[in-house]
Amino acid sequence: MTAPEASDAYDPFEDFNRSAGIGVVDDPYPLFALTRAQAPLVEENIMDNVMEEAGLYDPEKDAVLMAPPRVFTAYTYDAVQQVLRDGEAFSSAGYADVIGAVMGHTILEMDEPEHHTYRSLVQQAFSRRAMERWETEVVLPIVDECLDPAIERGEAELVRELTFPFPVNVIARLLGLPREDLPQFHRWAVELISVGFDWDRGLQASASLRDYFAGVLAERRANPADDLMSTLAAAEIDGQRLTDEEIFAFLRLLLPAGAETTYRSSSNLLYGLLTRPDQLDALRRDRSLMPQAIEEGLRWEPPLLTIVRTASRDVVVEGVEITAGAMVVVNLGSANHDEKYWERPDEFDIFRQQRQHLAFAFGPHMCLGMHLARMETRVALNRIFDRLPNLRLDPGAELPHITGMAFRAPTALPVLFDSGRG
Ligand code: HEM
């Protein structure tokens, strides 16, 4: 598997990165701070060109054909938390229109009580016992496999060699998929979440994944194994089980939810540490700091900046009136930099006072895979520190930057270390 490269005529990774603002949007946080200072929630002005594109505005007649939904963005911690906590006033059903078309009906787009039932079913596959086993049997060997080729070289590009490939490898291994299917599997996953700008390719990838999973699931139903696919097939609550279509939908969600995020969050944490060698040294020497370093990385640069809700009724948030049907963009990144709760919020500081950040969201849809993501990051960093002594950014390479708007990550992390000891 290779990381995104620009040479292909069509490269789903490149296309996706471009649409997510990777390489273009440098640092949106100063602008978020200015907006937060004005209001907790701001109504967006929908431009004529966006209306025209959506078929809602006729420029020749200068006429609005259909009133678009109002769009608000929540910027402060309190506003974001209130929206996410209240799944009754703020529905997740809006995801059905775009991402639901390629994933199927998943827990992401369900409201209560349906959401609770399905989440309880799929959650059975993410037990504490499963997590402990995955750490030693799945995650650790995969991280080591990624690092092995670099050990003798004394230099590496950690995004291409480790943070990009390892989370998707983990999910594939958890599902028990054959290793040789991995590159194709990852490509479909990226095409799936690119549906917003390439509808047909997204639908095609969705159908291909369905057919692919159907074969694997049929095999697991006949011969259950000790893997996530078999657990999902057997999960049961009050006699209710997941249908095949529901399993396919969940699996299609799992890929982008688990791979695109963890790859970026572990890259962002490494970037924070590599560009602040004093904090890198402190963590390397005292691994008990690992949990707070991981949380600070997630707070400082959450990999997924915004999520979306729809107001199911008129509701007031932090004094701002939101009308039924309005779309609410929930800015997790801005909430994580709210100066009401964090001093010097734009600084990466693993020693700061901890409080709950919102990178994994909050409320009923709070990330199902957060313990897995934290464990993967912890294992990856520990192995990097153990096997790449004297790790540092390569001073001869171009200084990397975190970029992006929807998703944020550095595109490369060129490092040097003392070779041959891993
Ligand atoms: C650092 C890594 C991760 C971050 C920052 C992250 C972030 C999020 C966020 C913000 C949501 C809420 C989406 C919404 O309600 O609109 C979410 C939901 C979800 N995440 Fe994660 N995620 C990460 C890793 C993972 C992993 C590793 C998995 C599984 C393998 C996973 C599976 C899910 C699932 C299934 C949901 C839907 C939960 C629901 O709707 O009830 N995530 N994640």
Side-chain angles (χ1 to χ4, degrees), residues 16 36 84 98 144 157 165 202 273 275 307 329 357 384 388-389 415:
F16 179 76
R36 266 194 317 272
L84 294 179
V98 180
D144 272 346
E157 202 285 84
L273 292 167
T275 49
I307 57 177
V329 178
H357 60 74
I384 289 175
L388 311 183
V415 294

Side-chain angles (χ1 to χ4, degrees), residues 92 95 107-108 115 119 126 171 250 253-254 257-258 261-262 265 298 303-304 307-309 332 358-361 364-370 372-373 376:
S92 290
Y95 284 129
I107 54 172
L108 191 69
H115 171 259
R119 182 157 165 140
F126 289 79
I171 291 184
F250 182 66
L253 166 64
L254 212 52
T261 48
T262 312
S265 65
L298 284 160
L304 174 64
I307 57 177
V308 180
R309 295 292 186 265
L332 304 171
L358 300 176
F360 289 121
H365 289 272
M366 190 166 182
C367 180
L368 181 75
M370 63 184 173
L372 173 60
E376 288 181 273

Side-chain angles (χ1 to χ4, degrees), residues 14-28:
E14 260 309 301
D15 274 17
F16 179 76
N17 277 345
R18 212 173 302 121
S19 82
I22 305 270
V24 182
V25 180
D26 245 340
D27 181 3

Side-chain angles (χ1 to χ4, degrees), residues 106-108 115-128 131 134 228 232 242 250-251 253-254 257-258 261-262 359-374 376:
T106 68
I107 54 172
L108 191 69
H115 171 259
H116 179 74
T117 307
Y118 281 89
R119 182 157 165 140
S120 308
L121 276 168
V122 294
Q123 205 152 17
Q124 295 178 13
F126 289 79
S127 67
R128 184 176 290 272
M131 209 70 65
W134 294 347
L228 204 138
L232 289 173
L242 295 163
F250 182 66
L251 297 178
L253 166 64
L254 212 52
T261 48
T262 312
F360 289 121
F362 187 77
H365 289 272
M366 190 166 182
C367 180
L368 181 75
M370 63 184 173
H371 301 305
L372 173 60
R374 287 176 170 131
E376 288 181 273

